[in-house]
Amino acid sequence: MTVDPVKLYLMIVLIIASMIDIRSFRIPNWLTYSTLAFGISYFSIMKGYEGFLLSMAGAAAGFGLLILPYTIGGTGAGDVKLMGAVGSFLGAHGIFMVFIFSCILAGAYALFLLASNGLLLSTFKRYGKILWCFIITQKFIYIPPTTEEKALKLRFGLAIALGTGSYLVLGL
């Protein structure tokens, strides 16, 4: 079995990004920008103008998929840039699939964080109250999370790495 060196490079970058994200809640610009530049350059050299467009479309889609969550405080800027960098390797279709996998894995990760901190039941109860209130009043009344829930931080860079790995392994 041969390993594609470009995919190997991408996975090494994602492992490094995950380790830094876990340790410091940051994904550094030097890593995301150099990966983005490498992806665009590589595909431009290998496939010409078509490769450039494919890589740019993937980068734009990657940025675009996380820019709204970033603007509302749901993710960090490093996550947005990392998604763009991954998109420069996988194209628009690939990064959309990575986004789906990453969101599913991040959801499982969030449930694990809540459960391991004894907050899963109280969180479900809070959302149940929100839903019940909406059913009864036909008005959405948000109940904010507790201080303990707010203290939990999800490392989405790890979810991006696992989502990318899942996509590459499944070969969709």
Side-chain angles (χ1 to χ4, degrees):
M1 177 171 88
T2 60
V3 176
D4 180 357
V6 176
K7 289 179 183 175
L8 180 62
Y9 168 80
L10 181 59
M11 290 313 299
I12 290 169
V13 165
L14 289 167
I15 290 168
I16 293 168
S18 296
M19 291 170 49
I20 294 170
D21 195 19
I22 288 167
R23 191 179 72 237
S24 66
F25 290 105
R26 298 187 50 118
I27 300 172
N29 287 339
W30 64 263
L31 184 61
T32 56
Y33 289 143
S34 63
T35 303
L36 175 67
F38 180 79
I40 294 169
S41 299
Y42 175 81
F43 287 100
S44 296
I45 291 167
M46 297 306 289
K47 298 186 179 191
Y49 187 65
E50 182 180 324
F52 172 77
L53 291 178
L54 177 81
S55 188
M56 288 298 290
F63 283 121
L65 286 166
L66 283 187
I67 198 68
L68 181 60
Y70 168 72
T71 59
I72 61 174
T75 188
D79 300 323
V80 177
K81 292 178 272 188
L82 184 61
M83 233 8 194
V86 172
S88 73
F89 284 82
L90 302 179
H93 175 266
I95 199 62
F96 181 73
M97 296 303 295
V98 165
F99 176 73
I100 298 295
F101 284 128
S102 298
C103 288
I104 291 167
L105 292 165
Y109 178 29
L111 291 174
F112 171 77
L113 277 178
L114 289 168
S116 65
N117 287 279
L119 299 170
L120 188 60
L121 186 59
S122 63
T123 302
F124 278 138
K125 285 181 179 179
R126 183 169 61 84
Y127 279 104
K129 288 177 186 176
I130 293 170
L131 180 61
W132 183 249
C133 184
F134 179 75
I135 290 168
I136 298 299
T137 67
Q138 299 297 307
K139 294 180 184 175
F140 179 76
I141 300 172
Y142 180 68
I143 302 169
T146 63
T147 306
E148 294 84 15
E149 289 172 329
K150 284 183 184 178
L152 298 177
K153 300 291 182 191
L154 188 91
R155 285 132 173 126
F156 199 70
L158 177 60
I160 293 170
L162 294 173
T164 304
S166 299
Y167 170 76
L168 293 175
V169 167
L170 294 174
L172 301 173

